[in-house]
Amino acid sequence: KAEMGGAIRKLRKGRKNKGKKDSSDLKGGNSVKDGKSKEPDKKTQEENASAAITIQKHFRGFKERQAFRRGMLVKIWDELERKEENELRNTSTKVIETTRMYMALRKTVEHRRAELGMERSPSLTVERTEAKEFKPTVRWLTGFMDECSKLSTKTEANISLPSPSSKRSGGAPIPENVLLSILRNTQDELKKLPNVVSIDLQGKESRLLIVGDLHGQLKDLLIILKQHGLPSAKKMYLFNGDFVDRGKHSIEVVIILFTMKLLWRDFVHLNRGNHEAIDINSRDGFQDECHVKYNQKVYNEFNNAFASLPLIHIINKKIMVVHGGLCYDPMTLKKIQDIDRFCLHPEYESPMEDLLWSDPGGPKFEGAGESDRGCGCIFGEDIVDEFFEDNEPLNLIIRSHEKVEKGYNVHFHGKLITIFSASNYCGRVGNDGAVLELLPSLEYKFHSFYAVPEREGEFTFSDRYSALSTSVAGKLIHRVAENRTELLKHFSKVNSEKKNDGKEAGASDLLFITRKEWAAGLRKILGLDVQFILIQQMLGVPIIGVDGKRKGKIDFEQWLAKYTPDKNLLKNLSVKGSDPGKLVEKISKMLMNDRVAFKTVFKCFDSNNDGKISQGELSSGLVALGEIVSEQFTPSDIKSLVEYMDKDHDNMIDYGEFLAAFTVSNPDLAKALKDAGVESTLSGARLPATLKRRPSTREPLRKAIGIQPAMK
């Protein structure tokens, strides 16, 4: 830094001196001598050249370090994403089963003697209420899209549209009866299609635009349609699944896609993705959005329509478009055609699940192996070759399902392509989105884009880096908080073993570990293949160790104390009867220590779908849950919980109040994470020094062993 600063000062000084000389020469009338301007001497030239080379060297190094840091963070984010999907998929069956058991128990008087059971692949919901018929027009669609474009500066949709007169609930993009009509008409159209849909791309001017995952990111869809135009006979679209979840505007995205399907049924094609399944979108954001903007009935109708989506498309008999990838077992198009796709979610370890969930492996990967996602498989180039041999004349597979930096990626010597259209995925990752344009000759080209929010200035590299680093830090902080007692036991065991081996002399050293031991412990307990050494400051580890050395030993108890639940709120409560802290802990353990599951439980308790839980609803819900997990809740327990959760004292518990009772960890740490901004990007969005200097709380931490990590 000092070297580069000196080089910049030299250049500035040279320019300043040159300016002074030129000025003096002009005043004296001697600026030009014999038709030639005065050149700087050789020494000055050498100094300027040396300074310029120094600046270039340091700037190249800076760019390389930034690229390395971003690549490292992207790798960590992808690792966390796969692990979260694995956990989500593994627990989703349990959550669905618990939900159905609760619903069955709630219908009984004594909450007993209910016949409990679960279908693995539930059939479609057949109940339908009458909805007023609505036929969209191109004018209506363009008006809707114009209103949607205004949402780029809003957090939630609340828009006015040219539609039949009907009262709307707050936040609903269109009236409920209009939406139900669109969903049911689209479902009727999709039902007519086979599992394997053929597309005949003919004519010199014809184009097919293949769009990857959108995940409720409305801005990306609007940019694609703005750049490439609405569908027509010469410009067809194929949307390759994962329309919903994670983004804030999944409903608006699906409304646009389904309306286009109704208006241009031969020129708009839709594939099913792994998020068009009730076991995933019930827990990954879409069901929440439906409850905020509409109700459970609308959510059910969405999933009925999703269950009718085709699985793959074949273009000119040579290209297959599928959301995920290939299967464990050899598969033909005929076998895919014979799959019963009309289910709310695919069966576990079925060919349909493989088609929606699988991913390609690396260049040297061979065969089909287990996927980190917990569903589908990882397949190699040899599996692709076998598939082409069994399904001639196919020679190219286009799939989505996987975030890639440029929005597209080519695998296996051009035999497989990934296309991903959600730019800046989840508002954090900073990746580009892309669409693939396919010509009748089956040549293709990619169109990359980045949906920049409408705001002042450019969206710089630092903006992307800051958003990504903050997202990675947030995900890791939650995992450390949830596993802090296991980490404490592991680090204590490591030091105990060192003591037995006679490697440590002082008793005080039993609380200290090396950074290498710290990183190894995190990898083991969290189950993540992450280089924690490179992001230690991001997780609040001070650069100066307890031994006074740079990157010296870590006091692991003092570090873990930052992730201890804040119990001060419970101490200040003046609630008579049961201890609400213990009740929250009990419920947390019942709910599998999985924060996402609280959403499902809230919806189960909210029997009238008004977005709030009354004391009566909480009572019946806890009794039902108690029946499932063999726990009992007394009237005193319920009263204490209501008083504890009801922060605004309206005798009702809304979703925010319900979830706040189980929110993770230290409020100072959460605030520091939230406040991490662009100014701290070059330091990896590290936490403030004031937080690092927090005094040790070893004794409270020991007492906290066994307390639910997610409890506030």
Side-chain angles (χ1 to χ4, degrees), residues 33-93:
K33 197 171 185 180
D34 298 330
K36 296 182 180 180
S37 61
K38 190 174 181 180
E39 297 289 338
D41 57 34
K42 186 176 181 180
K43 182 179 179 181
T44 302
Q45 288 180 340
E46 290 177 351
E47 289 179 350
N48 289 346
S50 175
I53 291 172
T54 300
I55 293 172
Q56 290 176 356
K57 180 185 73 173
H58 285 288
F59 183 67
R60 285 195 298 269
F62 167 78
K63 287 177 67 177
E64 290 173 359
R65 287 192 299 274
Q66 290 292 77
F68 172 78
R69 288 171 177 167
R70 173 162 174 78
M72 174 193 66
L73 290 174
V74 167
K75 184 178 179 181
I76 296 173
W77 199 94
D78 290 341
E79 173 79 9
L80 290 165
E81 180 78 1
R82 288 192 295 270
K83 189 169 184 65
E84 287 172 1
E85 281 204 325
N86 190 343
E87 294 167 346
L88 177 65
R89 184 64 178 84
N90 289 339
T91 58
S92 60
T93 300

Side-chain angles (χ1 to χ4, degrees), residues 380-660:
E381 185 175 1
D382 55 334
I383 300 298
V384 175
D385 292 334
E386 290 177 10
F387 182 78
F388 288 160
E389 290 176 7
D390 295 338
N391 297 275
E392 293 182 347
L394 288 179
N395 57 24
L396 176 63
I397 298 172
I398 300 174
R399 45 90 64 174
S400 301
H401 187 48
E402 192 174 17
K403 177 197 66 64
V404 283
E405 275 294 282
K406 296 179 181 179
Y408 64 89
N409 198 11
V410 180
H411 314 260
F412 305 147
H413 304 95
K415 300 173 185 176
L416 184 140
I417 295 172
T418 296
I419 194 79
F420 192 85
S421 302
S423 67
N424 193 24
Y425 184 40
C426 298
R428 296 289 186 182
V429 184
N431 61 289
D432 289 330
V435 297
L436 184 147
E437 182 179 354
L438 188 65
L439 308 179
S441 62
L442 301 187
E443 296 177 350
Y444 56 83
K445 55 184 176 181
F446 302 106
H447 300 277
S448 295
F449 61 90
Y450 191 86
V452 182
E454 293 181 0
R455 64 170 204 177
E456 63 281 357
E458 293 185 13
F459 200 72
T460 63
F461 178 89
S462 293
D463 291 318
R464 293 196 190 190
Y465 181 86
S466 176
L468 177 60
S469 61
T470 303
S471 177
V472 169
K475 289 174 179 286
L476 290 175
I477 283 171
H478 279 292
R479 291 192 175 273
V480 172
E482 291 169 357
N483 294 276
R484 74 186 189 289
T485 52
E486 288 76 9
L487 286 166
L488 179 63
K489 293 174 184 177
H490 173 80
F491 293 144
S492 299
K493 182 180 178 181
V494 169
N495 271 349
S496 177
E497 292 173 351
K498 288 195 295 186
K499 179 183 178 182
N500 294 335
D501 293 340
K503 294 182 180 179
E504 299 290 344
S508 61
D509 286 342
L510 292 179
L511 297 173
F512 306 153
I513 55 175
T514 66
R515 294 175 190 249
K516 185 176 180 180
E517 292 168 339
W518 171 82
L522 285 176
R523 282 196 298 271
K524 180 178 180 180
I525 300 301
L526 302 186
L528 296 170
D529 184 18
V530 171
Q531 298 183 50
F532 287 100
I533 286 291
L534 300 177
I535 56 171
Q536 51 188 301
Q537 289 178 275
M538 183 186 293
L539 295 178
V541 177
I543 194 67
I544 303 299
V546 291
D547 52 4
K549 298 179 181 179
R550 181 179 174 82
K551 296 184 179 180
K553 292 185 177 181
I554 301 169
D555 184 333
F556 61 86
E557 281 201 347
Q558 186 174 0
W559 175 70
L560 285 171
K562 298 175 181 179
Y563 300 88
T564 305
D566 188 355
K567 299 175 67 178
N568 292 329
L569 293 176
L570 297 181
K571 293 178 181 178
N572 296 330
L573 287 174
S574 58
V575 179
K576 297 181 180 180
S578 304
D579 181 359
K582 293 182 179 179
L583 293 175
V584 169
E585 178 184 351
K586 183 192 291 189
I587 297 174
S588 298
K589 290 180 179 179
M590 288 166 53
L591 300 180
M592 303 172 292
N593 192 23
D594 190 331
R595 181 185 174 191
V596 185
F598 298 140
K599 300 177 182 179
T600 302
V601 174
F602 178 85
K603 292 156 193 160
C604 291
F605 285 7
D606 182 18
S607 57
N608 61 359
N609 290 326
D610 64 351
K612 293 187 176 182
I613 301 175
S614 66
Q615 183 167 335
E617 288 175 326
L618 182 64
S619 175
S620 62
L622 289 176
V623 171
L625 275 178
E627 287 288 337
I628 295 171
V629 295
S630 301
E631 291 280 358
Q632 290 185 350
F633 293 90
T634 66
S636 176
D637 292 340
I638 296 167
K639 183 178 179 181
S640 297
L641 276 175
V642 170
E643 293 185 29
Y644 170 53
M645 294 182 180
D646 184 19
K647 304 300 182 184
D648 56 6
H649 307 294
D650 63 350
N651 296 319
M652 300 289 285
I653 303 168
D654 60 30
Y655 178 65
E657 292 172 332
F658 183 81
L659 189 59

Side-chain angles (χ1 to χ4, degrees), residues 83-135:
K83 189 169 184 65
E84 287 172 1
E85 281 204 325
N86 190 343
E87 294 167 346
L88 177 65
R89 184 64 178 84
N90 289 339
T91 58
S92 60
T93 300
K94 180 70 175 177
V95 171
I96 289 176
E97 181 179 7
T98 304
T99 302
R100 291 184 178 179
M101 293 171 73
Y102 167 76
M103 298 303 290
L105 286 166
R106 195 177 67 182
K107 293 177 182 178
T108 64
V109 177
E110 299 178 353
H111 301 286
R112 300 178 187 274
R113 302 176 182 175
E115 294 183 359
L116 307 179
M118 175 185 171
E119 299 174 11
R120 198 160 191 180
S121 292
S123 58
L124 300 180
T125 306
V126 295
E127 57 181 1
R128 273 197 177 190
T129 56
E130 290 298 324
K132 186 177 180 180
E133 184 68 18
F134 171 71
K135 293 184 179 181

Side-chain angles (χ1 to χ4, degrees), residues 216-263:
Q217 297 188 189
L218 180 61
K219 184 77 172 178
D220 293 296
L221 176 58
L222 295 177
I223 283 180
I224 292 169
L225 295 175
K226 181 179 179 180
Q227 291 180 350
H228 302 282
L230 291 174
S232 67
K234 295 181 180 180
K235 189 181 298 175
M236 295 188 286
Y237 281 88
L238 170 52
F239 296 92
N240 198 24
D242 277 10
F243 316 134
V244 302
D245 280 337
R246 303 204 171 121
K248 295 180 179 179
H249 304 295
S250 295
I251 290 177
E252 288 83 356
V253 168
V254 176
I255 289 173
I256 293 173
L257 297 184
F258 281 9
T259 302
M260 289 197 301
K261 180 62 179 176
L262 293 175
L263 292 172

